Amino acid sequence: MESSASDHKVFEHDRVQLRVDHGIIEVFRRNRIISSYRSPLSWLKVRAEARRGGLTRLHFGHVEELDEPIYASTTSSKHLLVTVEIQTTDEPLYRAFFTELAQLSDRPIAS
């Protein structure tokens, strides 16, 4: 993926910030330990796992095949590197951002 000025995007909600710049995505989450995750956008996969109590876990990791959807639902967090817990009511906001990233990186998003 070639870099351009249009590939700079930032999404910030509650205690999570997602930042894409020059084909690299960074995930920052603010909790007891400030931590981050960084990956080429073309390798990114995010899997959403519905939990009890109105929570959804977003698991970030790397795709095995480059044409895998960026975002999909999952029942397993196997091979995923970072987890961010969000309110289920906020999930559509995140999904919309991942849809933009899928378009930016010419990759699919699962329904």
Side-chain angles (χ1 to χ4, degrees), residues 10-62:
V10 176
F11 173 86
E12 191 166 359
H13 186 72
D14 196 24
R15 302 175 71 81
V16 177
Q17 185 183 89
L18 307 173
R19 177 180 295 270
V20 176
D21 196 16
H22 294 93
I24 302 295
I25 184 163
E26 293 181 279
V27 178
F28 299 95
R29 58 192 170 143
R30 198 176 46 186
N31 53 22
R32 288 183 297 240
I33 300 171
I34 295 175
S35 60
S36 66
Y37 164 76
R38 188 172 188 210
S39 171
L41 184 57
S42 60
W43 296 2
L44 175 70
K45 77 174 171 183
V46 182
R47 299 300 178 251
E49 176 188 13
R51 304 289 292 177
R52 291 183 180 174
L55 296 174
T56 295
R57 286 188 181 156
L58 301 179
H59 302 283
F60 293 80
H62 295 141

Side-chain angles (χ1 to χ4, degrees), residues 1 4 8 16 18 32 36 58 73 79 94-96 98 109:
M1 177 174 106
S4 69
H8 177 79
V16 177
L18 307 173
R32 288 183 297 240
S36 66
L58 301 179
S73 57
H79 303 297
Y94 287 84
R95 185 175 356 109
F98 296 128
I109 192 161

Side-chain angles (χ1 to χ4, degrees), residues 85-104:
E85 201 164 69
I86 63 170
Q87 296 295 315
T88 299
T89 55
D90 294 338
E91 188 273 340
L93 300 171
Y94 287 84
R95 185 175 356 109
F97 183 73
F98 296 128
T99 299
E100 285 183 48
L101 296 185
Q103 293 167 348
L104 182 67

